[in-house]
Amino acid sequence: MSVELLNLRRFHGYRVRRQIDNETYQEYFSLKRGGRLMHGAARAEVRRQAEDRDAELAMTQRAARERAMREVHVDADGHVRGILFRWKKGRNGRKTPLFQVGITSLLSGNVVNTTVSIRLHGLDEAWRRAVDFYARHRRIPRGSDTYRELLRLKPPPTVLEPAPPVAAARQPGVGRGGRSSGFSGTRSPGRGKAPVPAPRH
């Protein structure tokens, strides 16, 4: 409930305030009549009017929130927000591609999560299962344009291509295979040659 009792110099009464679609809605219900404070039944009636109006705004707020949550948001790379492709490393060290869904559910009001294995179901079926989970918790009908748009946004098969290996930078003085090349920046005397003695004065 967003009904607040204000006792200000210029106003004494209830204020109803809610945020809907990034806009603030405010309404005031005065507890003064003819410059005098209300009491008893008259005061209770004003409070009831404020609470009834707050209930109406709450319904509009919930509808706007659900409408916004049913909208599909796509980032610059074409990925659906809430459905993530990633590689999961198993206990055996093997990486498995999967879709991970993490969204706020309109059914429970809580954050829900699931994963769908691409190795087990294949790319097409795994994406459909991920979309079905997403649509069920966002109350998106299967025959709707939004549902068909979600299916269309399936990642291409190239996501399954392994990332190219990163070449390790060679350190100075280390040759191939990790062995030292014996060069430390100062040339040492050649093998089998005696060092040149310093001149005597």
Side-chain angles (χ1 to χ4, degrees), residues 170-176 178-184:
R170 290 183 60 186
Q171 300 178 0
V174 178
R176 301 195 180 200
R179 296 181 178 180
S180 174
S181 63
F183 178 69
S184 61

Side-chain angles (χ1 to χ4, degrees), residues 123-187:
L123 181 62
D124 293 347
E125 177 64 13
W127 179 252
R128 188 191 65 78
R129 288 173 178 250
V131 166
D132 283 349
F133 181 88
Y134 181 102
R136 182 169 68 255
H137 285 279
R138 288 295 173 87
R139 293 179 177 172
I140 299 173
R142 285 197 177 188
S144 65
D145 292 339
T146 302
Y147 181 83
R148 287 191 288 269
E149 177 69 9
L150 282 168
L151 290 178
R152 190 188 65 80
L153 290 168
K154 179 189 67 177
T158 52
V159 298
L160 301 177
E161 297 177 359
V166 180
R170 290 183 60 186
Q171 300 178 0
V174 178
R176 301 195 180 200
R179 296 181 178 180
S180 174
S181 63
F183 178 69
S184 61
T186 303
R187 187 173 299 277

Side-chain angles (χ1 to χ4, degrees), residues 96-132:
T96 301
L98 54 81
F99 291 119
Q100 178 176 317
V101 186
I103 55 174
T104 301
S105 173
L106 288 175
L107 302 179
S108 64
N110 301 321
V111 175
V112 293
N113 297 276
T114 192
T115 57
V116 185
S117 171
I118 298 174
R119 190 182 303 279
L120 178 63
H121 301 288
L123 181 62
D124 293 347
E125 177 64 13
W127 179 252
R128 188 191 65 78
R129 288 173 178 250
V131 166
D132 283 349

